[in-house]
Structures are given as structure tokens and as C-alpha cells.
Amino acid sequence: MSFRDALGAALPADRFADDPDVVRAYANDQAAWAPSGRASVLVRPAGTDEVRRVVEICAEHRVPIVPRGAGTGLSGGANAVDGCVLLSMERMNRVLAVDAAEQYAVVQPGVVNDDLRAHVAEHGLWYPPDPASSPWSTLGGNAATNAGGVCCVKYGVTRDYVIGMEAVVGRGDVVRLGRRTRKGVAGYDLAGLFVGSEGTLGVITELTVRLLPLSGTVPHTIVGAFDSAVAAGRAVAAVAESGLTPSALELVDRYCLRAVDDWKKMGLSDLGDVLLLGRVDTAGEQGEREADRLRELFDGAGAAMSMRSTDADEAEGLFAARRLAYPALERLGPVLTEDVCVPRALVPDMLARIDAHASANGVHIANIAHAGDGNLHPLIIVPAGDDEARVRAQRTFEAILDDAIALGGTVTGEHGVGLLKMRGMRDEVGDTVLGMQRAVKNALDPVGIFNPGKVV
Amino acid sequence: MSFRDALGAALPADRFADDPDVVRAYANDQAAWAPSGRASVLVRPAGTDEVRRVVEICAEHRVPIVPRGAGTGLSGGANAVDGCVLLSMERMNRVLAVDAAEQYAVVQPGVVNDDLRAHVAEHGLWYPPDPASSPWSTLGGNAATNAGGVCCVKYGVTRDYVIGMEAVVGRGDVVRLGRRTRKGVAGYDLAGLFVGSEGTLGVITELTVRLLPLSGTVPHTIVGAFDSAVAAGRAVAAVAESGLTPSALELVDRYCLRAVDDWKKMGLSDLGDVLLLGRVDTAGEQGEREADRLRELFDGAGAAMSMRSTDADEAEGLFAARRLAYPALERLGPVLTEDVCVPRALVPDMLARIDAHASANGVHIANIAHAGDGNLHPLIIVPAGDDEARVRAQRTFEAILDDAIALGGTVTGEHGVGLLKMRGMRDEVGDTVLGMQRAVKNALDPVGIFNPGKVV
């Protein structure tokens, strides 16, 4: 039986899409610059057993599987490889259980991040990781990429919340990794290994995620306006050195503010050239003191203006603007998105280097950043159709990766390696560690069918 | 050149101990019941390059290496295997760097846990993981076993703090795993994989651990006395269901209290039969409210007595008694230490099952527990020299592991698999996952020299 016939015999017909236009719509994530191959078929399984059958048949026929969530990735990790099955987890979108005493939820991988938050809020619980894509991206994709977000500076990343999972591995084995208890050390942390593995070790079919109690505290929002990104970076370093831990510390520069204003008429660029948006969610008097201290640190670092927002709508609007920055810039042309992370004290140095690369290469670079983590997203913008500018942008992209490594940082703080960061990752970790990564990949994917050619 | 001659040529003479009595003193951890083999030599390297040379020579001669810290483990993970090099990291005991802005410390593996805490406190920082062995155990051993402790209920375990490491792997390659930045997703999380791997993947020669700001808050201590372990377990379940997160919630039963009293004359057993010791470290009014709430939950669950300790010395004495329970019991005879972890709502069920096993098998079981995590340490006590009782104790030990698995828990919450939990781990994770673990082991230790015969 041919591969396609075997698949067809194993799953109901409505699980498949062969139409090239439909398949093509699922063949890329949002890394516009990453190459993608021609998939053979799109499969939308309705449950774990269907995933198992797909993996069995793919293993037998040695057909690659590219698992994907909502396709909001920015490194090409979900891009099709030639002849692959695109395995979209969108139908497996149920919250299976919420255990309030043990503080976890069990979810299928296609549950949208914001939907989980809304669901568990009804139980007085909170799922912290909040990538900018949270209205669309799914928990499976968040786990596969170890997604970060705005709250990470205080609450950590996806890996800190995934405690267990079900996955289909090898030639079609369904396994449970990790635990549901608060602690557990029974063997290697394979669940942790799967988080951030970008679909290269197997297909995640269920996740157990730790939850925190939902706080009733209304956070304080503190805004600082600075004359340059480097000046704002100095405030970020000062916050780090103070030992204060805000629950968010975001940077948005003038390019982003103007792009959002042009689109949404929010008048943000009147506030200043580069904004730092800080949040403090500590309760009571302690929270008041921390909010005051954050504003003092902004002022001490040379803020042209600072304020504490007392209006919840205004505060929400400022953070909404930060989330809109990326789509607003995309309206202006193709965007090449960086994701470097450097020591927080070196944020001003890294921002200065980014400025210098923009000037030297004649490209526009807008900056948004999870600045409190040292996680910068310089966005290299190129006029549509300008191939020569694309070459300069690519050169700038690689130079920024090199600088991040030189400053003791990483080429990817939260977006993952995918296709775009494979060169940078190799330079960051070195050949021996890359060899260890490949050995792990080969040990857990002996047939070599899970998202081949990505990451390692 | 013979193996011993090659080692002798590679390292200064004072790094070795061949004297059988000295070697034997390093051939066991504190798991009195786990078998240990005859080591060939004890090596105490003074630096990474010496470790590298030892690994190179061992790989060439296919001699096993058993790395060890202070030997305070309770699962036999550091026990000698026949013909091995015992590699004690005790000389590599320097804190290499503290970065206050980035909130991390870089340490050699032989640094004692309490020494690191004291060191970083001078920088206004705090290293949370606090196993009961913290006055003696080392960071290398803590990382190798993913050690827990009292504070985990609120602050997590060792894995939550180790962000990077240097290790000697393979045939003597020195590698850096993980990162020093706040975030990073460049490839598989090999640093996380090494945490809890019990020396089976390589030798950790340096660790980068995340730190938190040192809080100036004096914690509240709340004590509840209960008529039985099961009644105390009901209070633990009530705390879990309330959503309250104390910074400690420990259980100490009458056997432990009496053993400590007999030794230290503290008068603890006058307080009650089974004690719950709670701590709340939230600042200000919020902390006051949480402390009141914790006491209410104790009372609501049927505490015979409850109190909030306002005296810091008294509070410290109560937690000191909890730390003394294990050595106090060891004075009474050989102790077989369990380490199961179950869902918190099932703590009363698990304690009832433990009671029933004690009665059915005619053995004494004392209970201490990190109850707030559901992590129970039933301690099976046997009269010295009573071989028949040892058999009953072993049967009880295995039955408790089975019950933990049946309740959705794990056979080891924080002590590790070592030798004592290999059967339980296999039953917990199943053959397919055990096969994945072994595949990872073989991929990263192709020569098979790192702590062979342990864990997987």
C-alpha cells in the first residue's frame, strides 16, 4: 500500500487536506525569511490514537512529520520540509482537567494560550507564560518552543510550568513523561528535554501545566520616556542592579511607537522617543514602595519624563501598544526578527551595537524588548522587493547574533532555533555540544522522522 | 602503561588515596541498605583539567567513575561500583563569581550548600534550595540529585535554580551547557537534563545558579498539633485546596519528636502527637492575613492545638527539631528512608496506607514529610541485627512505592533513584520510557563509564 493510501485507510477522510492551496497555507510559520519545502499532505488529527497511527505509518514509510500549532513561530521551526506530513494539532483543543488543589491543568496541545488563561481563571488560578502571540498561539507550540513573554522577568518561561506530558515518539509509542506531583526525580527529566525541542523529538499530544493562584492585585504601571534606546537601556541596567523585580519591564522605541500611531492613532509617540513600560504586581504598601522605586530608577537613569499610571485602561492601552508593535511594523514591509538575550547590565551596550549595525549597513532597525530579561527583539525592516536591502539585512542579522555571543548572551532568548538560528546556535554552543544535541536527537528519533533538518 | 600508572603520571600524588580504609570511607552514601562495590582508588581532583585527565584515562581503560559530593545521598547513587574511581569533588570548593545585577553565582561543585547561602547573603542575595543536609551537602551533589528541601513548596527545587554548568563528558570533553542569561532556548536543555542525572552522564565541574533577592522579612511560624498523622494529612489537603502557599509546611510525627527529645531534651513531644510546622514569609499585612489563614486551616481540620510563634528562637528551634529527626532516629537502629511524593489532596490517604503497612508487617514507621509538597519520608526502623525484621522492612518499602504509584505519585520526590529505587522507577515510568532514558544515557556516555548500573 502506498504511503498516502495507508494514511487514508487509518484516519477518517475529513482529517486530510490535499488541496495545494490549503496545504501551502499551513507550510510556514511567521518567519517570512526562512525557507520552506513542499509538504505532501496536511493532517489534522482528532486525538492521540490518530497521532499514533500517523507516526507509525510515517515511520514505516520514512516520511517526515512537521508538527505545528498556530504557526505563530518566528524562526521557521514549523516550516514544511519536502514531502512531509504537516501535522496540525488544531482539533485537539480541549482543556481536559483542572486540579485546583494540586494547581495544574491538563490540556490538549491545540488549546490557545489565552483560552487556557480564561478557563483556569474561573477556578481562581493563573497560567503565567504570556507570549505576545497569546491570543492565537497554542500550548503545544508554546511548549515546543519554550515560549517566553512579558511576565517572564518575574514568573519564568514555559519550561517552568510544564511538569508533564503525553507524547508520541519513536515508531509510534505513546508515552507519559514527567509527573503531576509537585516534585519528582524518577530518572532523567525527559519532559523538560521535550520543552523547547521544536518538534524534533516527537509529537506532544497532552500537557500538564503548573498553575499559580490568581492574584486579585491591580498592578501598578510605571512609564519612563527616554531620548534614546541606549539611555533606556541604562535604566534597565539600573533596575537589574537594584535587585528590584518588576512583573514586566518592556522597551518600545520610536519606530514602533510611530508605526502603531500610524495604524491605530493612539498618540503614543507624543509620550517620548523610547518608552520603558514597567509593571509591579506586589500587593499593598510593599507594592507602592516598589512602584515608587522603579520610577526613581527611571528618573535616576535620565528619563525625560516618568509617570505612574493610575488609570487601568490607560495602563492596559500602553501594554496593548507593545503587543501591536510587531504587526504594525509588518505593515511597513518584510521584518526580520531578532531574539538575542544578553546579561541585563549589558543591555545598553547591546543596544548601542545594534544602532551601529543599522547605520553601518544602511538598514532600519526598530527595537522592542523584554528589557527586564535582557531579551531584545531588534526588528530589521526592509522595503518590499528590495533584494539588495535584503542582503544587507541578512548581514546585519548575523552580526547582531555574533555580538550577542560576544557579550556572553544567546542567539535566541525565546523564539527558538528553527531554521534561522542554526548557524548562530552552532557558534554559540560549539561543535562538541552540538554533537551531544545530535546524539540525543538520534537516540530519541532513531528513524529520523520528527521535524528533520531543524534545530540540530 | 597500567591504568593506575597512567593516573599517577597525570595527577600530583596528593590527589590519590589507595589506602583501603580511606577508600572504603568514601565508598557509600547514607543509604545504609544499598549495596556498594570495591573501588580501586579515590581521586580528589583540584580543578577541571584534572577531572578531564581522569575521564580521558578512565575512558581509555574503560574504568567506571563514580562522582561524589559529601556523600549525604539516601538512594545509593554515590556508592562504589567494583573497580571504580571514586571521584570526590571536595577540593573544588570555591565560589568563583557572584553577579548581583544578573542574580547568579558561579560555583565549583564542592561548595557546601550553607556556605553558598552565607556567601551570597553578603551580596543581599539568596539561594533557596535547602535540603536537610545543607550544612554538609555540596552544590554538585545537590545538582546531580536535583535536591529538594523545606522551601520547595513555595520556591521550587534545585532544577529551578541551575541555569548552566561546565561538565566533563564523553571521553574527556570539557563542555559548557545552559546559559548565564535570564532566558535562552538555543537547542535542547542539556543543563536541565544533567540536573538529577546522578552522575550518569558526566562529571559536573562548575555550576551557574540563579539567585533571588534576600528578603528582610521575618517569617511567621504556625504550629498545629494533631492526634494522628492522618488528621495532620487532612490539614495538609485543606491548605492545598485553599490555594494558600506557605513558604514551608513540614510534618513531624510522635516517633520523631520522641527520638529528638530523648537525644536533645527539647520537650517537643509535650506539644502534641503529630506536628505541622508552617511558615509564611509574605511581607506586611498580607503576610499577617496568610498566617492567620494557615492557623484557621489547621483548626478547621481538627488540630488539638495551634499557635503562632512570635518568638524567633522558638520558631527556629521547631524547625531545628525537624532537621534533627533523621539523625535522632538513626541512633535507634538502621533506618530505611522512603521518599514518595503524592498529590497533596491524597496525603491523608497515603499516610493511612503507610500506617496500615506498618501494622501488617510489624515494623515501626516514623514520618517526617515536606507535607506541603505531598513529599513524604516514612522512615522504616529496624532493630540492629534483626535480619528477619529487615526482610519485613524491605517488603514494606516496596509496598509503599507501589501505593505511591497507585495514587498517581512518584517513587522519589527528591532523593533520586540511585540503587534503591530502580525497581520502583521502572514500574512508575514503564519500559518504553525506561528505554528512552537508556537511549539518552548511551548517547551521552557512549563508553559507559559514568556511574554505571545506577538510575537506568
Side-chain angles (χ1 to χ4, degrees):
Chain A
M1 193 154 32
S2 78
F3 167 67
R4 186 64 187 79
D5 290 345
L7 266 190
L11 268 64
D14 69 352
R15 307 296 195 260
F16 299 99
D18 296 279
D19 180 318
D21 288 342
V22 177
V23 175
R24 205 174 299 127
Y26 282 79
N28 300 282
D29 63 18
Q30 302 214 337
W33 292 43
S36 74
R38 279 178 77 99
S40 71
V41 61
L42 168 67
V43 182
R44 289 176 279 211
T48 298
D49 195 60
E50 293 187 2
V51 175
R52 183 187 61 72
R53 278 179 272 165
V54 172
V55 172
E56 271 180 3
I57 294 165
C58 286
E60 192 185 334
H61 293 264
R62 298 186 173 257
V63 171
I65 299 169
V66 178
R68 55 170 282 141
T72 56
L74 290 161
S75 294
N79 282 10
V81 302
D82 281 336
C84 75
V85 169
L86 284 169
L87 196 68
S88 170
M89 308 306 282
E90 68 201 276
R91 283 186 205 222
M92 294 174 64
N93 63 354
R94 281 181 303 131
V95 177
L96 301 175
V98 177
D99 187 322
E102 200 66 9
Q103 297 182 328
Y104 67 69
V106 182
V107 302
Q108 290 187 310
V111 172
V112 169
N113 181 303
D114 275 358
D115 291 347
L116 176 63
R117 290 155 181 284
H119 188 105
V120 302
E122 289 171 23
H123 299 260
L125 294 164
W126 178 44
Y127 176 70
D130 59 347
S133 59
S134 66
W136 314 283
S137 67
T138 61
L139 271 295
N142 290 175
T145 57
N146 189 19
V150 168
C151 77
C152 307
V153 61
K154 183 164 180 177
Y155 293 101
V157 296
T158 301
R159 176 170 290 121
D160 299 313
Y161 294 89
V162 173
I163 61 172
M165 62 178 63
E166 179 192 76
V168 182
V169 301
R171 292 176 171 81
D173 293 311
V174 180
V175 293
R176 292 205 159 269
L177 307 176
R179 59 194 159 86
R180 289 194 180 172
T181 47
R182 302 287 288 186
K183 294 153 91 177
V185 290
Y188 303 140
D189 182 19
L190 295 181
L193 189 68
F194 271 60
V195 176
S197 66
E198 304 186 38
T200 62
L201 301 178
V203 181
I204 296 170
T205 50
E206 189 186 294
L207 288 159
T208 304
V209 296
R210 194 166 69 92
L211 304 170
L212 296 183
L214 186 65
S215 158
T217 307
V218 177
H220 305 278
T221 298
I222 301 90
V223 185
F226 297 83
D227 292 337
S228 71
V230 175
R234 279 196 291 270
V236 171
V239 173
E241 278 153 15
S242 75
L244 186 68
T245 305
S247 59
L249 185 55
E250 297 288 308
L251 179 150
V252 193
D253 81 355
R254 69 183 77 88
Y255 292 107
C256 299
L257 295 172
R258 282 184 206 143
V260 174
D261 280 347
D262 288 347
W263 187 22
K264 300 286 182 183
K265 320 293 177 211
M266 293 176 78
L268 294 163
S269 39
D270 298 342
L271 287 172
D273 245 15
V274 180
L275 297 188
L276 283 183
L277 305 177
R279 228 183 225 156
V280 167
D281 69 354
T282 308
E285 284 179 23
Q286 176 75 13
E288 294 285 342
R289 276 194 299 274
E290 291 179 11
D292 287 340
R293 180 87 182 103
L294 186 58
R295 186 172 172 190
E296 284 165 24
L297 289 162
F298 287 179
D299 291 340
M305 178 281 289
S306 73
M307 62 175 192
R308 266 179 68 179
S309 174
T310 48
D311 177 346
D313 288 343
E314 180 189 56
E316 190 41 51
L318 288 164
F319 277 91
R322 185 258 171 263
R323 280 194 295 275
L324 288 172
Y326 186 77
L329 285 166
E330 275 195 311
R331 294 173 68 244
L332 308 181
V335 173
L336 187 53
T337 308
E338 281 282 12
D339 174 43
V340 295
C341 189
V342 297
R344 304 186 290 185
L346 301 182
V347 166
D349 304 60
M350 189 68 214
L351 288 167
R353 286 173 183 233
I354 291 166
D355 264 2
H357 287 302
S359 303
N361 291 301
V363 295
H364 284 291
I365 300 185
N367 276 292
I368 50 177
H370 304 307
D373 289 315
N375 187 191
L376 310 181
H377 294 312
L379 306 169
I380 308 171
I381 304 154
V382 172
D386 184 341
D387 286 347
E388 202 272 329
R390 249 181 110 103
V391 172
R392 284 182 280 123
Q394 189 66 45
R395 194 163 63 219
T396 309
F397 182 88
E398 301 294 340
I400 290 172
L401 297 186
D402 291 342
D403 276 352
I405 296 171
L407 292 182
T410 175
V411 298
T412 176
E414 60 178 15
H415 291 171
V417 174
L419 293 166
L420 291 181
K421 300 291 175 68
M422 290 178 72
R423 192 282 300 173
M425 203 263 274
R426 191 183 64 232
D427 285 358
E428 178 181 332
V429 306
D431 285 339
T432 307
V433 173
L434 188 61
M436 292 170 72
Q437 310 248 20
R438 287 182 177 150
V440 168
K441 160 76 174 171
N442 294 335
L444 295 180
D445 178 20
V447 192
I449 53 173
F450 294 109
N451 212 2
K454 311 283 176 67
V455 186
V456 295
Chain B
M1 193 154 34
S2 78
F3 167 68
R4 188 64 187 80
D5 288 347
L7 266 191
L11 269 63
D14 69 351
R15 306 296 195 258
F16 300 98
D18 296 278
D19 180 318
D21 288 342
V22 177
V23 174
R24 204 174 301 127
Y26 281 78
N28 299 282
D29 63 18
Q30 303 212 338
W33 292 43
S36 75
R38 279 178 76 98
S40 71
V41 61
L42 168 68
V43 182
R44 289 178 278 213
T48 298
D49 195 60
E50 293 187 3
V51 175
R52 182 187 61 72
R53 278 180 271 166
V54 172
V55 171
E56 272 180 3
I57 294 165
C58 286
E60 192 185 335
H61 293 265
R62 298 185 174 258
V63 171
I65 299 169
V66 178
R68 54 171 280 142
T72 57
L74 290 162
S75 293
N79 283 9
V81 300
D82 282 337
C84 76
V85 168
L86 285 170
L87 196 68
S88 169
M89 308 306 282
E90 69 200 277
R91 283 185 205 222
M92 294 175 64
N93 63 355
R94 282 181 303 131
V95 177
L96 300 174
V98 176
D99 187 322
E102 202 66 10
Q103 298 182 328
Y104 67 71
V106 183
V107 302
Q108 290 187 311
V111 171
V112 169
N113 181 303
D114 275 359
D115 291 349
L116 176 63
R117 291 156 180 284
H119 188 105
V120 302
E122 290 172 21
H123 299 260
L125 294 164
W126 178 44
Y127 176 70
D130 59 348
S133 59
S134 67
W136 314 283
S137 67
T138 61
L139 272 295
N142 291 175
T145 56
N146 189 19
V150 169
C151 77
C152 307
V153 61
K154 182 163 180 178
Y155 293 102
V157 296
T158 302
R159 176 170 290 121
D160 299 312
Y161 294 88
V162 173
I163 61 171
M165 63 178 63
E166 179 192 76
V168 182
V169 301
R171 293 176 169 80
D173 293 311
V174 180
V175 294
R176 292 206 159 268
L177 307 176
R179 59 197 159 85
R180 290 195 180 171
T181 47
R182 302 287 287 187
K183 294 154 89 177
V185 291
Y188 303 140
D189 182 17
L190 296 181
L193 188 69
F194 271 60
V195 176
S197 66
E198 305 187 38
T200 62
L201 301 178
V203 181
I204 296 171
T205 49
E206 189 186 294
L207 288 159
T208 303
V209 295
R210 194 166 70 92
L211 304 171
L212 296 183
L214 186 65
S215 157
T217 306
V218 178
H220 304 278
T221 298
I222 299 89
V223 184
F226 297 83
D227 292 336
S228 71
V230 175
R234 280 196 290 269
V236 171
V239 173
E241 279 153 16
S242 76
L244 186 69
T245 305
S247 58
L249 185 55
E250 298 288 309
L251 179 151
V252 194
D253 81 355
R254 70 184 77 88
Y255 293 107
C256 299
L257 296 172
R258 281 184 208 144
V260 174
D261 279 347
D262 287 347
W263 187 23
K264 298 288 182 184
K265 319 292 176 212
M266 292 174 79
L268 294 163
S269 39
D270 299 342
L271 286 172
D273 245 15
V274 180
L275 298 187
L276 282 183
L277 306 177
R279 229 183 224 155
V280 167
D281 69 354
T282 308
E285 283 178 25
Q286 176 74 14
E288 294 284 342
R289 277 194 300 273
E290 291 179 11
D292 287 341
R293 181 87 182 103
L294 187 57
R295 188 174 170 187
E296 284 165 22
L297 289 162
F298 286 179
D299 291 341
M305 179 282 291
S306 73
M307 61 176 193
R308 265 179 68 178
S309 175
T310 48
D311 177 346
D313 288 344
E314 181 189 55
E316 189 41 50
L318 289 165
F319 278 91
R322 187 257 171 262
R323 279 194 295 275
L324 288 172
Y326 186 76
L329 285 167
E330 276 196 309
R331 293 173 70 243
L332 308 181
V335 174
L336 187 54
T337 307
E338 281 282 11
D339 174 42
V340 295
C341 189
V342 297
R344 304 186 292 185
L346 301 181
V347 165
D349 304 61
M350 189 68 214
L351 288 167
R353 286 173 181 234
I354 291 166
D355 264 2
H357 286 303
S359 304
N361 290 301
V363 295
H364 284 291
I365 301 185
N367 277 292
I368 50 177
H370 303 308
D373 290 314
N375 187 191
L376 311 182
H377 294 311
L379 305 169
I380 309 170
I381 303 155
V382 172
D386 184 342
D387 286 347
E388 202 273 328
R390 250 181 108 104
V391 172
R392 285 183 278 125
Q394 188 66 43
R395 194 164 61 219
T396 310
F397 182 89
E398 301 295 340
I400 290 173
L401 297 186
D402 291 342
D403 276 353
I405 296 171
L407 292 182
T410 176
V411 299
T412 176
E414 59 177 14
H415 292 170
V417 176
L419 293 166
L420 290 182
K421 300 290 175 68
M422 289 177 73
R423 191 282 300 174
M425 202 263 274
R426 191 184 63 232
D427 285 357
E428 177 180 332
V429 306
D431 284 339
T432 308
V433 173
L434 188 61
M436 292 169 72
Q437 309 249 19
R438 286 183 177 147
V440 168
K441 160 75 175 174
N442 294 335
L444 295 180
D445 178 20
V447 191
I449 52 174
F450 295 110
N451 213 3
K454 311 283 177 66
V455 186
V456 294

